[in-house]
Amino acid sequence: MKRPRFRSPMQWARRISQTFFLGAFLYLVLAARQSGDQPSRLLRVFFDFDPLVAVATWMSTHTLAAASLLSLITIAVTIVLGRIFCGWICPLGGAHTIMTWFMDKKRRKREARSPWQRVKYGLLAALLVMALCGVHWIGIFDPTPLFYRSLTVFGWPAAQYAIDESTTSVYQADPYIGSFRVINITEPVYKFFRDRVFRAPRQAFQGSFVIIATFLLIMVLNLIRPRFWCRYICPLGGMLGVLSLRPSLRLANDTNRCNNCGKCARNCPAAAQPDQPGKWLPTECFDCWNCVASCNQNALSFTVASPVKKMQSGRIDFSRRIALGAVTGGMAAMLGFRQSPLAQGVRFESSLIRPPGALPEREFLQRCIQCGLCMRACPTNALHPCGLEGGVEGLWTPKLAPKVGYCLHTCNLCGQVCPTGAIATLP
């Protein structure tokens, strides 16, 4: 009987890192509902370290918040170590890794690079062109706002609803197992979550179906390809890939030991070609160490070299034709967004009420990253994601829905937590 192979220390370290950052992200989303009158700056720390949010906001508004300079740390680490953010830190990447565990490993095939991996670079170019023209749509695709928005309108409200309704049903039925009452178990559980975890009234959001469906689709795609979103679509991954062209941390393949079994390629979630000496793709690699741990011949290892020293590696063929197409697509999308009467200021949508302190509409849209942090922090559940009330450009930006929740005149939590200054902090 073959003994199971234990994970390498680096794999354990990565699992611990992913668990920590995913847990921290989930906690900060939860804590936004319990922030009080003076919310902590830690509530938006993940946005401050996101270089794509910082660059796109700077391109769109020609200003840069001081906290966004923290994204320079992410950029510096990526230049030296490669896409370690994607493999070790990104909360959405951690969620993708969990979903990948459900995939049948026996069905995995040996994969080389796919031309579709160029899509994320094209999407990145198109979004940056749009940002340069004042259309800030980065938050629709960036993993940090995307994950935060999904947890705000679906994740935590669904968890709270499930616990409240299930324990209430048990309480109303009051079932017995022999002489033992089931509510002796469910009521302490309910009180723990009510008093220690959720603590605030349950939220419900208008127009959240598309957000929920999009998030679930992104998760399910992992069953088709490991980390499908990261591999083919994620624009932040594309940006970090560009910064990883010549990292100091490099994969070495000893051809004298390699027996070309393909285990490393089957276990690589990024299709970074670890099985092909001289064709490893540093722009795609997540530094997950799966390839090194899966090699029974000890033919693979990560080494450290000067970033100035040239390296023999493969590359994603991102031709000038594709780049031109991405730029043209970004320009066309921007022009299309701006052709509606609402976008040109000819008509005003009466149902579109922005949060108090929101900048003038054009400036607001140039800053808002559709993250949902203001909606999560709102104590009365008055803020909801827009559909098309603000035009396509304003999709999933916050609006006030007075029929659902009222706005407290003593509250400006939405302005205090906004990571890009789209909502000003009022006295």
Side-chain angles (χ1 to χ4, degrees), residues 31-47:
R33 279 290 275 164
Q34 309 159 3
S35 55
D37 295 333
Q38 296 296 326
S40 171
R41 284 197 58 84
L42 289 176
L43 293 176
R44 52 189 178 186
V45 67
F46 279 92
F47 301 102

Side-chain angles (χ1 to χ4, degrees), residues 279-340:
K279 294 184 179 181
W280 170 64
L281 299 171
T283 58
E284 304 301 304
C285 180
F286 301 149
D287 294 335
C288 67
W289 252 267
N290 284 354
C291 57
V292 176
S294 63
C295 183
N296 295 326
Q297 308 300 320
N298 295 322
L300 294 174
S301 62
F302 277 96
T303 60
V304 178
S306 170
V308 180
K309 184 180 179 181
K310 290 185 177 181
M311 58 183 295
Q312 188 177 6
S313 63
R315 65 187 182 92
I316 296 292
D317 183 21
F318 193 73
S319 64
R320 281 179 287 185
R321 180 182 298 178
I322 298 175
L324 180 61
V327 172
T328 304
M331 290 291 294
M334 181 275 298
L335 293 173
F337 289 177
R338 291 285 170 82
Q339 294 313 301
S340 67

Side-chain angles (χ1 to χ4, degrees), residues 34 41 45 51 60 80 101 106 112 115 150 169 210-211 214 232 251 266 268 273-274 295 330 338 347 352 391 418:
Q34 309 159 3
R41 284 197 58 84
V45 67
S60 179
V80 176
W101 287 346
K106 295 180 180 179
S150 302
S169 298
V210 178
I211 297 175
T214 301
Y232 299 112
L251 183 68
R266 287 195 297 272
C268 177
Q273 302 183 159
C295 183
R338 291 285 170 82
R347 180 180 69 84
L352 179 61
C418 181

Side-chain angles (χ1 to χ4, degrees), residues 7-73:
R7 297 192 181 278
S8 69
M10 292 304 296
Q11 281 186 303
W12 278 114
R14 178 173 60 84
R15 300 289 185 186
I16 293 171
S17 175
Q18 286 182 305
T19 302
F20 171 78
F21 285 106
L22 178 58
F25 191 85
L26 294 173
Y27 172 76
L28 291 177
V29 179
L30 180 66
R33 279 290 275 164
Q34 309 159 3
S35 55
D37 295 333
Q38 296 296 326
S40 171
R41 284 197 58 84
L42 289 176
L43 293 176
R44 52 189 178 186
V45 67
F46 279 92
F47 301 102
D48 294 336
F49 276 93
D50 190 321
L52 184 54
V53 168
V55 170
T57 304
W58 170 72
M59 294 177 70
S60 179
T61 64
H62 310 295
T63 60
L64 189 65
S68 296
L69 294 176
L70 292 173
S71 63
L72 295 176
I73 298 175

Side-chain angles (χ1 to χ4, degrees), residues 114-126 231-235 238 316 318 322 326:
S114 167
W116 291 104
Q117 290 175 253
R118 299 177 296 189
V119 171
K120 59 180 175 290
Y121 301 102
L123 180 60
L124 171 67
R231 191 187 299 193
Y232 299 112
I233 303 174
C234 180
I316 296 292
F318 193 73
I322 298 175

